[in-house]
Amino acid sequence: MITTQSIADIRAQVKAWKQKGETVAFVPTMGNLHLGHITLVKEAKTRADHVVTSIFVNPMQFGQNEDLDAYPRTLADDQAALIEAGAELLFTPTPEIIYPKGMDAQTFVEVPGISDVLCGASRPGHFRGVATIVCKLFNIVQPDIALFGQKDFQQLLVIRTMVDDLSLPIEIVGVETIREDSGLAMSSRNGYLSAEQKAQAAQIKRTLDKMACSLKTAQSIEAVIAQGQIELEDVGFRNDYLDVRNANNFAVANGEDTELVILVAAYMGSTRLIDNLVVKLA
Ligand code: PAF
């Protein structure tokens, strides 16, 4: 696997592959890779001739009081895992390479509406940072397809909308959330949890499953959310949001919807965890 910080190197390699008529899949990451990322790379390999990945802890998507500096950087381990998974090219730019003029003097991409609710409301500017970096990385790598985890449901929707709105010729693939045996969704932020907090955090999936059952038995959405909030608080979570939305257009769910998504963000100590579950009612 070639690791490079150079935009020109990435472009030259991808161009050489494309000139031979070969296809390219892309998995952008912020590093500190876990089985969720590795699953994306393996899935990418089944869908294209070559897999390109990136590791870039994107400062533009972190708020002022968030964990940018503390975010784990584990390049050597990540490289080993990517080689094992079959990636051929890894882009590891610095912030200076990506934002040479500085972030505030940089053109940005903003997807209106869905960027402002839930995670977007709790983390103002977050999805502008995500859309901008993903758009830039797409323009650097120029992949045929790109893969993202469904754990970041709202992020996936923001990226799909951006690709659609800007007519980017890239197929976006969402890959199912990978979970620990306890049900806890894999995340780089799980590394901040103590063993005890990790055990408590497994309640998220149990609550999502229970809420899904309750929604299927036609209980009122408000009552289901209220019950879910109590369950999470009982094991020590401080809830950021717990909501039920239309899984396709992200509108607040109503009694007519047949495909819903339950979305949660909650703090265990100072660690903010997110998860979601799609529920089909029909
Ligand atoms: O999901 C992530 O790891 C990041 O938000 C992404 C998509 C790599 C953009 O920085």
Side-chain angles (χ1 to χ4, degrees), residues 27-42 188:
V27 180
T29 81
M30 298 205 301
N32 192 231
L33 304 182
H34 51 67
L35 198 58
H37 299 107
I38 298 309
T39 306
L40 294 179
V41 174
K42 289 189 172 159
S188 299

Side-chain angles (χ1 to χ4, degrees), residues 11 13 35 42 45 64 73-74 86 107 116 122 132 136 181 199 232 236 243 264 269:
R11 288 213 166 114
Q13 179 58 78
L35 198 58
K42 289 189 172 159
K45 261 191 88 68
Q64 292 226 316
R73 274 103 169 149
T74 52
T107 302
D116 301 327
S122 309
T132 302
K136 265 190 90 110
D181 290 343
L232 291 174
D243 205 356
V264 58

Side-chain angles (χ1 to χ4, degrees), residues 28-30 58 61 130 133-134 148 152 155:
T29 81
M30 298 205 301
N58 174 33
Q61 69 189 74
V130 170
I133 188 60
V134 171
F148 296 86
D152 297 296
Q155 167 173 283

Side-chain angles (χ1 to χ4, degrees), residues 146-180:
L147 297 90
F148 296 86
Q150 282 171 356
K151 187 194 137 234
D152 297 296
F153 189 94
Q154 192 175 1
Q155 167 173 283
L156 182 57
L157 210 62
V158 167
I159 292 166
R160 284 191 196 283
T161 307
M162 172 187 77
V163 163
D164 207 32
D165 288 354
L166 300 181
S167 308
L168 303 181
I170 300 169
E171 182 194 344
I172 302 300
V173 176
V175 177
E176 213 175 299
T177 304
I178 304 296
R179 297 181 182 280
E180 308 216 351

Side-chain angles (χ1 to χ4, degrees), residues 85-147:
E88 284 168 82
L89 189 55
L90 169 62
F91 183 44
T92 55
T94 60
E96 293 70 30
I97 290 169
I98 293 293
Y99 303 120
K101 291 184 286 186
M103 287 191 295
D104 295 335
Q106 149 86 41
T107 302
F108 58 81
V109 179
E110 182 138 357
V111 178
I114 51 168
S115 293
D116 301 327
V117 297
L118 303 183
C119 279
S122 309
R123 306 180 67 189
H126 171 68
F127 286 119
R128 172 195 289 189
V130 170
T132 302
I133 188 60
V134 171
C135 189
K136 265 190 90 110
L137 291 169
F138 282 177
N139 284 326
I140 292 165
V141 177
Q142 302 196 15
D144 299 287
I145 75 167
L147 297 90

